[in-house]
Amino acid sequence: MKTITILGSTGSIGTQSLEIAKKHKFKVKALAAHSNTDLLAGQVKEFGAEYACIFCEDKVNALKEALNNEDVTVLSGMEGLKAIAELDGVDIMINSVVGMVGLEPTLTAIAHGTDIALANKETLVAGGELVIRAASEKGVKIYPVDSEHSAIFQCLQGNKREQVSKILLTASGGPFFGKTRNELEGVTVDQALSHPNWSMGRKITIDSATLMNKGLEFIEAMWLFGLRPDQIEIIVHRESVIHSAVEYNDHSVIAQMGVPDMKIPIQYALLYPDRVDCPTKELSLTDYGRLTFAKPDFETFECLSACIKAVTAGGTMPAMVNGANEAAVAAFLDGKIDFLDIGRIVTSVLDEFESKPVTCLDDVLEADRTARAYAEKQINR
Ligand code: NDP
Ligand code: MG
C-alpha cells in the first residue's frame, strides 16, 4: 500500500488522483487546496488524511469548522505546503496545484528525498534547471503526469535515452484550431473554455486555447528528458489519441495511445512500472476510424512561439514568460483583457527584458515577480 500526499487535491488532477487512490487503497496522508474549504474538508474526512492545508490564511477557521473537530493538523500558506512536502513516510507527493506557486514545495520535497508525481508544469517551466539538478543530486524520481510527457516516458521504457533522435509532442490544437487572428478578435471566455477533448481546470484550458500550454509542455519536455529545442516537433493531432511519440536513431517511432483520460497517466505515475486495471474506457481505434495530423500555426498562436524563443534564450526568460502568462490568463478570465491580449503580453516580455542566469530560487522568484508586475501594467493600461 502506497502512502501519498496531494497538493491541489480539489482540482481536476487532484480529484482524479483521489479516484486512483481509492481504487488502489492508498493511504492519503495530507491534502492541500487554495481556498475550497468544503471540498477539501470532505476529502480529508473521506480519506482519513492527517494533515490539511488551505493556502489562503483567511480560510483556516472555515476549514477547521468544516472539519468539525476531526483529529487533523490544519496548515496554511506556503509554509503549510512546504510542511506537507517534507512529511516523513510518504512514497510519492502529487503536485497538482496550478501555477508556479508549486515550485517551492517541489524543491522542498526533493530536498527531503520524496518522489514526486508532477502535473504542475509551471514548476518545470519556471525552475526546471533547479528542480532537475536537485532531483538528480538527491536521486529523487519525478514521474510526469502531463499526458504527453507520460506518453514520452512510456515510449522511452526499455530503450536507450542516447539513441533518441527526437520526440513528437502532440497537441489537440484547442477550440480555435484553424482560426485566423481576425476570427479570434473578441472571442469570449466561454468559447475559450470549451476544449474539444479534455475537461480540465480553467487556467490550463485557456492555455490550451492560446497554445501556451503546448509551449509550456515544450519546455517541460526539455527538462524532463534532457532534450534540445531542435529535438522536439509539435504536431497537431485533433483526436488526442496519440499522446506523443519518440523517434529513435533508426527512424523507428514509438507512440503511446489511449482515450483522452488523465487517469491513465496519473495511475502510471503512481504505480510505475505496474500496469493494472484503470477506471477508464478502452480505446477503440475503429470507433475513431481515422487519426489526423497537421503543423501548428505559430503565427496565430504566438504564445507557442514565445515559449520556444524563451527557452532558447534560457536562464530566467521561461519564468518571465510563464509569470506574464499567469497574470494575463487571470485577467482574461476576469474579463479585463481580450483573448489576443494574452499573446501580446506574453510576447512583449521577450522584447522588454533580458534573460539572466538562474543560480538559485530567488532568481526565479524575482523574474516571476518582475514579469507579473510588467503584465499587470499592460493589463491596467
Ligand atoms: P485546477 O484549477 O482544476 O485545480 C488546481 C488545484 O490547485 C486546486 O485544488 C486548487 O485549490 C489548488 N491550488 C491552486 N493554487 C494553490 C495554492 N497556492 N496552494 C494550494 N493549492 C492551490 O487545475 P488542474 O487540476 O487542471 O491543473 C493542475 C496542474 O496540472 C496545472 O499545472 C496544469 O497545467 C496541470 N495539468 C492539468 C491537466 C488536466 O487535465 N487538468 C493535464 C495536464 C497537466 P482550490 O480548489 O481551492 O482553488
Ligand atoms: Mg498535456
Side-chain angles (χ1 to χ4, degrees), residues 301-374:
F301 298 96
E302 57 184 333
C303 288
L304 180 54
S305 316
C307 286
I308 298 173
K309 285 181 192 152
V311 76
T312 307
T316 51
M317 198 48 87
M320 298 202 83
V321 161
N322 177 70
N325 179 62
E326 287 193 28
V329 170
F332 172 67
L333 286 169
D334 278 352
K336 292 184 189 159
I337 58 171
D338 289 337
F339 181 75
L340 287 175
D341 290 332
I342 302 173
R344 284 191 198 106
I345 291 171
V346 167
T347 304
S348 65
V349 167
L350 289 159
D351 303 324
E352 206 66 30
F353 298 96
E354 297 269 306
S355 181
K356 294 183 190 154
V358 171
T359 54
C360 60
L361 176 63
D362 277 344
D363 294 334
V364 178
L365 298 179
E366 171 65 25
D368 175 68
R369 270 194 300 270
T370 308
R372 279 173 202 266
Y374 167 77

Coordinates of all heavy atoms in Angstrom, one line a residue, residues 301-374:
F301 N -0.9 31.6 -33.1 CA -0.8 31.3 -31.7 C 0.6 31.6 -31.2 O 1.4 30.8 -31.0 CB -1.1 29.8 -31.5 CG -2.6 29.5 -31.9 CD1 -2.8 29.0 -33.2 CD2 -3.6 29.7 -31.1 CE1 -4.1 28.7 -33.6 CE2 -4.9 29.5 -31.5 CZ -5.2 29.0 -32.8
E302 N 0.7 33.0 -31.0 CA 2.1 33.5 -30.7 C 2.6 33.1 -29.4 O 3.9 33.1 -29.2 CB 2.1 35.0 -30.9 CG 1.2 35.8 -30.1 CD 1.2 37.3 -30.4 OE1 2.3 37.8 -30.8 OE2 0.2 37.9 -30.1
C303 N 1.8 32.6 -28.5 CA 2.3 32.1 -27.2 C 3.3 30.9 -27.4 O 4.2 30.8 -26.6 CB 1.2 31.7 -26.2 SG 0.3 33.1 -25.6
L304 N 2.9 30.1 -28.4 CA 3.7 28.9 -28.6 C 5.1 29.3 -29.1 O 6.1 28.9 -28.5 CB 3.0 28.1 -29.7 CG 3.7 26.8 -30.1 CD1 4.0 25.9 -29.0 CD2 2.8 26.0 -31.1
S305 N 5.2 30.3 -30.0 CA 6.5 30.8 -30.5 C 7.2 31.4 -29.3 O 8.5 31.3 -29.2 CB 6.3 31.8 -31.6 OG 5.4 31.4 -32.5
A306 N 6.5 32.2 -28.5 CA 7.1 32.9 -27.4 C 7.8 31.9 -26.4 O 9.0 32.2 -26.0 CB 6.1 33.8 -26.6
C307 N 7.2 30.8 -26.1 CA 7.8 29.8 -25.2 C 9.1 29.2 -25.8 O 10.1 29.0 -25.1 CB 6.8 28.7 -24.9 SG 5.5 29.2 -23.8
I308 N 9.1 29.0 -27.1 CA 10.2 28.4 -27.8 C 11.4 29.4 -27.8 O 12.5 29.0 -27.5 CB 9.9 27.8 -29.2 CG1 8.8 26.7 -29.0 CG2 11.1 27.3 -29.9 CD1 8.3 26.2 -30.3
K309 N 11.0 30.6 -28.0 CA 12.1 31.7 -28.0 C 12.6 31.8 -26.6 O 13.8 32.0 -26.4 CB 11.5 33.0 -28.5 CG 11.4 33.1 -30.0 CD 10.8 34.5 -30.4 CE 10.4 34.4 -31.9 NZ 9.3 35.4 -32.2
A310 N 11.7 31.8 -25.6 CA 12.1 32.0 -24.2 C 13.1 30.9 -23.8 O 14.1 31.1 -23.1 CB 10.9 32.0 -23.3
V311 N 12.8 29.6 -24.1 CA 13.7 28.5 -23.7 C 15.0 28.5 -24.5 O 16.0 28.1 -24.0 CB 12.9 27.2 -23.7 CG1 12.8 26.6 -25.1 CG2 13.6 26.2 -22.7
T312 N 14.9 29.1 -25.7 CA 16.2 29.2 -26.4 C 17.0 30.2 -25.8 O 18.3 30.1 -25.7 CB 15.8 29.5 -27.9 OG1 14.9 28.5 -28.4 CG2 17.0 29.4 -28.8
A313 N 16.4 31.3 -25.3 CA 17.2 32.4 -24.6 C 17.7 31.8 -23.3 O 18.8 32.2 -22.8 CB 16.3 33.6 -24.4
G314 N 16.9 30.9 -22.7 CA 17.4 30.3 -21.4 C 17.3 31.1 -20.2 O 16.6 32.2 -20.2
G315 N 18.0 30.7 -19.1 CA 18.0 31.5 -17.9 C 16.6 31.8 -17.3 O 15.8 30.9 -17.2
T316 N 16.4 33.0 -17.0 CA 15.1 33.4 -16.3 C 14.0 33.6 -17.3 O 12.9 33.9 -16.9 CB 15.3 34.7 -15.5 OG1 15.9 35.7 -16.4 CG2 16.2 34.5 -14.3
M317 N 14.3 33.6 -18.6 CA 13.2 34.0 -19.6 C 12.0 33.1 -19.6 O 10.9 33.6 -19.6 CB 13.8 34.1 -21.0 CG 13.0 34.9 -22.0 SD 12.4 36.5 -21.3 CE 13.8 37.6 -21.8
P318 N 12.2 31.8 -19.5 CA 10.9 31.0 -19.4 C 10.1 31.3 -18.1 O 8.9 31.4 -18.2 CB 11.5 29.5 -19.3 CG 12.8 29.6 -20.0 CD 13.4 30.9 -19.6
A319 N 10.7 31.6 -17.0 CA 10.0 32.0 -15.8 C 9.2 33.3 -16.1 O 8.1 33.5 -15.6 CB 10.9 32.2 -14.6
M320 N 9.9 34.2 -16.8 CA 9.2 35.5 -17.1 C 8.0 35.4 -18.0 O 6.9 35.9 -17.7 CB 10.2 36.5 -17.7 CG 11.4 36.8 -16.8 SD 12.2 38.3 -17.2 CE 11.2 39.5 -16.4
V321 N 8.2 34.6 -19.0 CA 7.1 34.4 -20.0 C 5.9 33.6 -19.2 O 4.8 34.0 -19.4 CB 7.6 33.5 -21.2 CG1 6.5 32.9 -21.9 CG2 8.5 34.4 -22.1
N322 N 6.3 32.7 -18.4 CA 5.2 32.0 -17.6 C 4.5 32.9 -16.6 O 3.3 32.9 -16.5 CB 5.9 30.8 -16.8 CG 4.9 30.1 -16.0 OD1 4.0 29.4 -16.5 ND2 5.0 30.3 -14.7
G323 N 5.3 33.8 -15.9 CA 4.7 34.7 -15.0 C 3.7 35.7 -15.7 O 2.6 35.9 -15.2
A324 N 4.2 36.2 -16.8 CA 3.3 37.1 -17.6 C 2.0 36.4 -18.0 O 0.9 37.0 -18.0 CB 4.1 37.7 -18.8
N325 N 2.2 35.2 -18.4 CA 1.0 34.4 -18.9 C 0.0 34.1 -17.7 O -1.2 34.3 -17.9 CB 1.5 33.1 -19.5 CG 0.3 32.3 -20.0 OD1 -0.5 32.7 -20.9 ND2 0.1 31.1 -19.4
E326 N 0.6 33.8 -16.6 CA -0.3 33.5 -15.4 C -1.1 34.8 -15.1 O -2.3 34.7 -14.9 CB 0.5 33.1 -14.2 CG 1.0 31.7 -14.3 CD 1.5 31.1 -13.0 OE1 1.1 31.5 -11.9 OE2 2.4 30.2 -13.1
A327 N -0.5 36.0 -15.2 CA -1.2 37.2 -14.9 C -2.2 37.5 -16.0 O -3.4 37.9 -15.7 CB -0.2 38.4 -14.7
A328 N -1.8 37.3 -17.2 CA -2.7 37.6 -18.4 C -3.9 36.7 -18.4 O -5.0 37.1 -18.7 CB -1.9 37.5 -19.7
V329 N -3.7 35.4 -18.1 CA -4.8 34.5 -18.2 C -5.8 34.8 -17.1 O -7.1 34.8 -17.3 CB -4.3 33.0 -18.0 CG1 -5.5 32.1 -17.8 CG2 -3.5 32.6 -19.3
A330 N -5.3 35.2 -15.9 CA -6.2 35.5 -14.8 C -7.0 36.8 -15.2 O -8.2 36.9 -15.0 CB -5.4 35.8 -13.5
A331 N -6.4 37.7 -15.9 CA -7.1 39.0 -16.3 C -8.1 38.7 -17.4 O -9.2 39.2 -17.4 CB -6.0 40.0 -16.8
F332 N -7.8 37.7 -18.3 CA -8.7 37.4 -19.3 C -10.0 36.7 -18.7 O -11.1 37.0 -19.0 CB -8.1 36.4 -20.4 CG -9.0 35.9 -21.4 CD1 -9.7 36.7 -22.3 CD2 -9.3 34.5 -21.3 CE1 -10.6 36.1 -23.2 CE2 -10.3 34.0 -22.2 CZ -10.9 34.8 -23.2
L333 N -9.7 35.8 -17.8 CA -10.8 35.1 -17.1 C -11.7 36.1 -16.3 O -12.9 35.9 -16.2 CB -10.3 34.0 -16.2 CG -9.8 32.8 -16.9 CD1 -9.1 31.8 -15.9 CD2 -11.0 32.0 -17.5
D334 N -11.1 37.2 -15.9 CA -11.8 38.3 -15.1 C -12.5 39.3 -16.1 O -13.0 40.3 -15.6 CB -10.9 39.0 -14.2 CG -10.6 38.3 -12.9 OD1 -11.3 37.3 -12.7 OD2 -9.7 38.8 -12.2
G335 N -12.3 39.1 -17.4 CA -12.9 40.0 -18.3 C -12.2 41.3 -18.5 O -12.7 42.3 -19.0
K336 N -10.9 41.4 -18.0 CA -10.2 42.6 -18.1 C -9.5 42.9 -19.4 O -9.1 44.0 -19.8 CB -9.2 42.7 -17.0 CG -9.8 42.8 -15.6 CD -8.7 43.0 -14.6 CE -9.2 42.9 -13.1 NZ -8.1 42.5 -12.2
I337 N -9.1 41.8 -20.1 CA -8.4 41.9 -21.4 C -9.1 40.9 -22.4 O -9.8 40.0 -22.0 CB -6.9 41.6 -21.3 CG1 -6.6 40.2 -20.7 CG2 -6.2 42.7 -20.4 CD1 -5.2 39.8 -20.8
D338 N -8.7 41.2 -23.7 CA -9.2 40.3 -24.8 C -8.3 39.1 -24.9 O -7.2 39.1 -24.4 CB -9.2 41.0 -26.1 CG -10.3 42.1 -26.1 OD1 -11.3 42.0 -25.4 OD2 -10.1 43.1 -26.9
F339 N -8.9 38.1 -25.6 CA -8.1 36.8 -25.8 C -6.8 37.1 -26.4 O -5.8 36.6 -25.9 CB -9.0 35.9 -26.7 CG -8.4 34.6 -26.9 CD1 -8.3 33.6 -25.9 CD2 -7.8 34.3 -28.1 CE1 -7.7 32.4 -26.1 CE2 -7.2 33.0 -28.4 CZ -7.2 32.1 -27.4
L340 N -6.7 37.9 -27.5 CA -5.5 38.1 -28.2 C -4.5 38.9 -27.4 O -3.3 38.8 -27.6 CB -5.7 38.8 -29.5 CG -6.3 37.9 -30.6 CD1 -6.6 38.7 -31.9 CD2 -5.5 36.7 -31.0
D341 N -4.9 39.6 -26.4 CA -4.0 40.4 -25.5 C -3.1 39.4 -24.7 O -2.0 39.8 -24.4 CB -4.8 41.2 -24.5 CG -5.5 42.4 -25.1 OD1 -5.0 42.8 -26.2 OD2 -6.6 42.8 -24.6
I342 N -3.6 38.2 -24.5 CA -2.7 37.3 -23.7 C -1.4 37.1 -24.5 O -0.3 37.2 -23.9 CB -3.4 35.9 -23.5 CG1 -4.7 36.1 -22.7 CG2 -2.5 34.9 -22.7 CD1 -5.6 34.8 -22.6
G343 N -1.5 36.7 -25.8 CA -0.3 36.5 -26.6 C 0.5 37.8 -26.7 O 1.7 37.7 -26.7
R344 N -0.2 38.9 -26.8 CA 0.6 40.2 -27.0 C 1.4 40.4 -25.7 O 2.6 40.8 -25.8 CB -0.4 41.4 -27.2 CG -0.9 41.4 -28.5 CD -1.7 42.8 -28.8 NE -2.5 42.6 -29.9 CZ -3.8 42.5 -29.9 NH1 -4.5 42.6 -28.7 NH2 -4.5 42.3 -31.0
I345 N 0.8 40.2 -24.6 CA 1.5 40.5 -23.3 C 2.7 39.5 -23.2 O 3.8 39.9 -22.9 CB 0.6 40.4 -22.1 CG1 -0.4 41.6 -22.2 CG2 1.3 40.4 -20.8 CD1 -1.5 41.6 -21.2
V346 N 2.4 38.2 -23.4 CA 3.5 37.2 -23.2 C 4.6 37.5 -24.2 O 5.8 37.4 -23.8 CB 2.8 35.8 -23.5 CG1 3.9 34.7 -23.6 CG2 1.9 35.4 -22.3
T347 N 4.3 37.8 -25.4 CA 5.4 38.0 -26.4 C 6.2 39.3 -26.1 O 7.4 39.3 -26.3 CB 4.7 38.2 -27.8 OG1 4.0 37.0 -28.1 CG2 5.8 38.3 -28.9
S348 N 5.5 40.3 -25.6 CA 6.3 41.5 -25.4 C 7.3 41.4 -24.2 O 8.3 42.2 -24.2 CB 5.3 42.7 -25.1 OG 4.6 42.5 -23.8
V349 N 7.1 40.4 -23.4 CA 8.1 40.2 -22.3 C 9.5 39.9 -23.0 O 10.5 40.3 -22.5 CB 7.7 39.0 -21.5 CG1 8.8 38.5 -20.6 CG2 6.5 39.4 -20.6
L350 N 9.5 39.2 -24.1 CA 10.7 38.8 -24.8 C 11.5 40.1 -25.3 O 12.7 40.1 -25.3 CB 10.5 37.9 -26.0 CG 10.0 36.5 -25.6 CD1 9.3 35.9 -26.8 CD2 11.2 35.6 -25.2
D351 N 10.7 41.1 -25.7 CA 11.4 42.3 -26.2 C 11.8 43.2 -25.1 O 12.7 44.0 -25.2 CB 10.4 43.1 -27.1 CG 9.9 42.2 -28.2 OD1 10.7 41.4 -28.7 OD2 8.7 42.4 -28.6
E352 N 11.0 43.1 -24.0 CA 11.2 44.1 -22.9 C 12.3 43.8 -21.9 O 13.0 44.6 -21.3 CB 9.9 44.2 -22.1 CG 9.6 45.4 -21.4 CD 9.4 46.6 -22.4 OE1 8.9 46.4 -23.5 OE2 9.7 47.7 -21.9
F353 N 12.6 42.5 -21.8 CA 13.6 42.0 -20.8 C 14.7 41.2 -21.3 O 14.6 40.6 -22.3 CB 12.9 41.2 -19.7 CG 11.8 42.0 -18.9 CD1 10.5 41.9 -19.3 CD2 12.2 42.9 -17.9 CE1 9.5 42.7 -18.6 CE2 11.2 43.6 -17.2 CZ 9.9 43.5 -17.6
E354 N 15.8 41.3 -20.6 CA 17.0 40.4 -20.9 C 16.9 39.2 -20.0 O 16.5 39.3 -18.9 CB 18.3 41.1 -20.5 CG 18.5 42.4 -21.3 CD 19.3 42.1 -22.6 OE1 20.4 41.5 -22.4 OE2 18.9 42.5 -23.7
S355 N 17.4 38.1 -20.5 CA 17.4 36.9 -19.7 C 18.6 36.9 -18.8 O 19.7 37.4 -19.2 CB 17.5 35.6 -20.6 OG 17.5 34.5 -19.8
K356 N 18.4 36.5 -17.5 CA 19.6 36.4 -16.6 C 19.8 34.9 -16.2 O 18.8 34.1 -16.2 CB 19.2 37.2 -15.3 CG 19.1 38.7 -15.6 CD 18.9 39.4 -14.2 CE 18.5 40.8 -14.5 NZ 17.7 41.4 -13.4
P357 N 21.0 34.6 -15.8 CA 21.2 33.2 -15.4 C 20.4 32.8 -14.1 O 20.2 33.7 -13.3 CB 22.7 33.1 -15.1 CG 23.3 34.4 -15.4 CD 22.2 35.4 -15.6
V358 N 20.0 31.6 -14.0 CA 19.3 31.1 -12.8 C 20.4 30.3 -12.0 O 20.9 29.3 -12.3 CB 18.2 30.1 -13.2 CG1 17.6 29.4 -12.0 CG2 17.1 30.8 -14.0
T359 N 20.7 30.9 -10.8 CA 21.6 30.3 -9.9 C 20.9 29.7 -8.6 O 21.4 28.8 -8.0 CB 22.8 31.2 -9.5 OG1 22.2 32.4 -8.9 CG2 23.6 31.6 -10.7
C360 N 19.8 30.4 -8.3 CA 19.1 29.9 -7.1 C 17.6 30.3 -7.2 O 17.2 31.0 -8.2 CB 19.7 30.7 -5.9 SG 19.5 32.4 -6.0
L361 N 16.8 29.8 -6.2 CA 15.4 30.0 -6.3 C 15.0 31.5 -6.4 O 14.1 31.9 -7.1 CB 14.8 29.4 -5.0 CG 13.3 29.6 -4.8 CD1 12.5 28.9 -5.9 CD2 12.9 29.1 -3.4
D362 N 15.8 32.4 -5.7 CA 15.5 33.8 -5.7 C 15.5 34.4 -7.1 O 14.7 35.3 -7.4 CB 16.4 34.6 -4.8 CG 15.9 34.5 -3.3 OD1 14.7 34.2 -3.1 OD2 16.7 34.8 -2.4
D363 N 16.4 33.9 -7.9 CA 16.5 34.4 -9.3 C 15.2 34.1 -10.0 O 14.7 35.0 -10.8 CB 17.6 33.7 -10.1 CG 19.0 34.0 -9.5 OD1 19.1 35.1 -9.0 OD2 19.9 33.2 -9.7
V364 N 14.6 33.0 -9.8 CA 13.3 32.6 -10.5 C 12.2 33.4 -9.9 O 11.4 33.9 -10.6 CB 13.1 31.1 -10.3 CG1 11.7 30.7 -10.9 CG2 14.2 30.2 -10.9
L365 N 12.1 33.5 -8.6 CA 11.0 34.2 -7.9 C 11.1 35.7 -8.3 O 10.0 36.3 -8.6 CB 11.1 34.1 -6.4 CG 11.0 32.7 -5.8 CD1 11.1 32.7 -4.3 CD2 9.7 32.0 -6.3
E366 N 12.3 36.3 -8.4 CA 12.4 37.7 -8.8 C 12.0 37.9 -10.3 O 11.2 38.8 -10.6 CB 13.9 38.1 -8.6 CG 14.3 39.4 -9.2 CD 13.6 40.6 -8.5 OE1 13.2 40.4 -7.3 OE2 13.5 41.7 -9.1
A367 N 12.4 37.0 -11.1 CA 12.0 37.0 -12.6 C 10.4 37.0 -12.7 O 9.8 37.7 -13.4 CB 12.6 35.9 -13.3
D368 N 9.9 36.1 -11.9 CA 8.4 35.9 -11.9 C 7.7 37.2 -11.5 O 6.7 37.6 -12.1 CB 8.0 34.7 -11.0 CG 6.5 34.5 -10.9 OD1 5.9 34.1 -11.9 OD2 6.0 34.7 -9.8
R369 N 8.2 37.8 -10.4 CA 7.6 39.0 -9.8 C 7.7 40.1 -10.9 O 6.7 40.8 -11.1 CB 8.3 39.4 -8.6 CG 7.7 38.9 -7.3 CD 8.3 39.6 -6.1 NE 9.7 39.5 -5.9 CZ 10.4 38.6 -5.3 NH1 9.7 37.6 -4.7 NH2 11.7 38.6 -5.2
T370 N 8.9 40.3 -11.5 CA 9.1 41.3 -12.4 C 8.1 41.2 -13.6 O 7.5 42.2 -14.1 CB 10.5 41.3 -12.9 OG1 11.4 41.3 -11.8 CG2 10.9 42.5 -13.9
A371 N 8.0 40.0 -14.1 CA 7.1 39.7 -15.3 C 5.7 40.0 -14.9 O 4.9 40.5 -15.7 CB 7.3 38.3 -15.8
R372 N 5.3 39.5 -13.7 CA 3.9 39.8 -13.3 C 3.6 41.3 -13.2 O 2.5 41.7 -13.6 CB 3.6 39.1 -12.0 CG 3.3 37.6 -12.1 CD 3.2 37.0 -10.7 NE 3.4 35.6 -10.8 CZ 2.5 34.7 -11.0 NH1 1.2 35.0 -11.0 NH2 2.8 33.4 -11.1
A373 N 4.5 42.0 -12.6 CA 4.3 43.4 -12.4 C 4.2 44.1 -13.8 O 3.3 45.0 -14.0 CB 5.5 44.0 -11.6
Y374 N 5.1 43.7 -14.7 CA 5.0 44.2 -16.1 C 3.7 43.9 -16.8 O 3.0 44.8 -17.4 CB 6.2 43.6 -16.9 CG 6.1 43.9 -18.4 CD1 6.4 45.2 -18.9 CD2 5.6 42.9 -19.2 CE1 6.3 45.4 -20.3 CE2 5.5 43.1 -20.6 CZ 5.8 44.4 -21.1 OH 5.7 44.6 -22.4

